[in-house]
Amino acid sequence: GSLKLHFKKTLRVKLEMKIIRGTKNISDLIPYPVVAIGNFDGVHVGHQILFRKTAQLAKENGGTAIAFTFEPHPLKILAPEKVPPLLTTFRKKMELIEECGIDLVVCADFTRQFSDQHPREFAHDILVKRIEVREVVVGFDYAFGRGREGTVRYLKQMGEEYGFHTHIIDPVKLNGHLVRSSYVRELVEDGKVEAAGEFLGRHYSIPGPVIEGYKTGQKIGFPTANLDTSRVQIPGVGVYAVSIKHQDVKYNGVVNVGFNPTFNRDTLSVEAHIFDFEGEIYGQEIEVTFIRRIRSEVKFKSADQLVEQIKKDIHAAKIILADLP
C-alpha cells in the first residue's frame, strides 16, 4: 500500500457558510428555513439546480438556505461492502455547496439508529421540531428513513400535515443520460473525464497529500509527486493532461494513473509531473484537476522508450492546456 504521512497541510479556503454537525446541535431559531435534503456526492449539475432553487426560495422569503446531508455516506453504515469511492471529500463538498448560495449545512450523524427511523419520525422530530422547516427541496428520486419508505410522495403528505411546502426537482438529463453521482463515477472510472466534467459542471478533481513514491520518475529525469488517493474515486488508468493547485498557485502538468508496468509494479499509483515546478512537497496537500485523457497505459521495453513517450505526453498536454480558458 501507499505510505501515509502523519501530517497534512491542507488548503484552507475560508468558508463563510455555517456547518452544524449533528442535528442535536441546532440551537438557534433559523429564519424561514428552506431545506434541500440529500447525500450530494459530487455536487453535480442536478444538485446545483436543487441548491440554487433552495437559495432562491430562501432569498424570496428573507430566509435561510439549508443543505441537509449525512456523514458518513449512508452505505458505509448500511452496506460497507457497497460503499463507492466518493467523488468529493467532505471539505470539497462544502466548498461546492457554498458556491451554490447555501447559507447553512446541517450534517446529520448517519448511524444505524438514524437509518432505522420511520420517515415520519425524521420529518417530525428533525425537520419540523428542530429546524421548523417552511419549504423542502428534494430530487425526484429521493427516499429517506427506514427501508427508504419515505418517498417523495410521502414527504409531500407530511408537508401537508405539518405545514411545510415540498418542491420536487425534475430529473436532469444530459446527452441522453440522467445526471446521477453513480453515472459520473462510471465515467471517471472509464477515464472519460471530459464527459464527467459536463455532468459535474466543472472538471473532475481530486485533492490529497503528496506521499513518498518509488522515485522512478526522478531517476529518468521527470520527478513526480505521488498522490494519496485513498479517499476518492480515481480515474481509469492512463495519462492525463491536468492542472494542479498547490498553495493557491495553479500549475499545468501530466498525471499517470496506473501500475507502472515498465517497472513491473502492481500497486495503483497517481503520479503527477508538474511543469516548471521546483521544491519538496511531501506531506503537502495538492489538488489535481483532470482536463483530458491523452492515452492509455502502455508497457515500454525500456526506460528510454518511456522517456521518449513522456516527452510526447508533455507536448500533447501543453497543447491541450493552452486551449483552456
Side-chain angles (χ1 to χ4, degrees), residues 27 55 75 88 121 166 177 262 296:
S27 50
L75 282 177
T88 36
E121 221 179 310
T166 309
H177 281 275
T262 305
S296 58

Side-chain angles (χ1 to χ4, degrees), residues 90-101:
F90 181 76
R91 169 122 206 114
K92 182 76 179 170
K93 184 154 103 171
M94 294 303 116
E95 285 169 20
L96 293 165
I97 287 175
E98 181 174 54
E99 278 170 27
C100 295

Side-chain angles (χ1 to χ4, degrees), residues 71-295:
E71 192 69 14
H73 190 291
L75 282 177
K76 201 164 187 162
I77 305 297
L78 301 175
E81 69 291 345
K82 287 197 186 128
V83 180
L86 298 180
L87 294 166
T88 36
T89 57
F90 181 76
R91 169 122 206 114
K92 182 76 179 170
K93 184 154 103 171
M94 294 303 116
E95 285 169 20
L96 293 165
I97 287 175
E98 181 174 54
E99 278 170 27
C100 295
I102 296 294
D103 306 306
L104 168 67
V105 172
V106 174
C107 198
D109 295 321
F110 196 87
T111 57
R112 264 273 170 220
Q113 195 186 351
F114 189 92
S115 75
D116 285 341
Q117 289 180 97
H118 189 278
R120 168 180 288 278
E121 221 179 310
F122 170 73
H124 177 264
D125 296 357
I126 294 172
L127 297 180
V128 178
K129 276 278 170 278
R130 279 217 181 265
I131 300 177
E132 297 187 16
V133 67
R134 303 292 293 273
E135 312 199 39
V136 171
V137 186
V138 286
F140 70 102
D141 57 350
Y142 184 67
F144 63 98
R146 191 178 62 206
R148 295 176 69 79
E149 291 167 40
T151 57
V152 168
R153 225 173 83 205
Y154 191 78
L155 192 61
K156 270 202 130 123
Q157 275 175 324
M158 301 275 79
E160 280 157 26
E161 190 178 328
Y162 293 128
F164 61 81
H165 187 70
T166 309
H167 303 264
I168 294 157
I169 301 295
D170 290 333
V172 181
K173 268 195 156 177
L174 258 186
N175 314 332
H177 281 275
L178 273 184
V179 180
R180 279 204 153 108
S181 301
S182 52
Y183 183 63
V184 178
R185 235 178 256 124
E186 277 171 41
L187 289 172
V188 171
E189 235 173 300
D190 292 344
K192 297 175 180 160
V193 292
E194 275 183 290
E198 285 183 52
F199 284 76
L200 289 167
R202 64 178 183 283
H203 294 293
Y204 183 63
S205 71
I206 52 180
V210 175
I211 50 172
E212 288 269 7
Y214 290 107
K215 298 211 164 52
T216 342
Q218 222 152 343
K219 291 180 192 124
I220 58 171
F222 298 99
T224 56
N226 277 57
L227 203 60
D228 169 4
T229 53
S230 52
R231 300 174 291 174
V232 279
Q233 175 72 59
I234 304 172
V237 294
V239 175
Y240 297 82
V242 299
S243 87
I244 290 157
K245 194 157 118 191
H246 172 251
Q247 291 177 351
D248 286 336
V249 184
K250 270 195 169 164
Y251 301 88
N252 287 339
V254 285
V255 156
N256 181 63
V257 176
F259 297 96
N260 248 326
T262 305
F263 297 98
N264 299 319
R265 301 269 157 63
D266 56 359
T267 49
L268 186 68
S269 67
V270 174
E271 290 183 89
H273 173 63
I274 309 173
F275 304 157
D276 313 314
F277 183 82
E278 293 289 319
E280 279 288 325
I281 52 172
Y282 287 128
Q284 296 182 32
E285 186 95 4
I286 61 174
E287 184 172 12
V288 177
T289 300
F290 291 83
I291 310 299
R292 195 187 306 166
R293 190 164 183 248
I294 299 172
R295 64 174 175 88

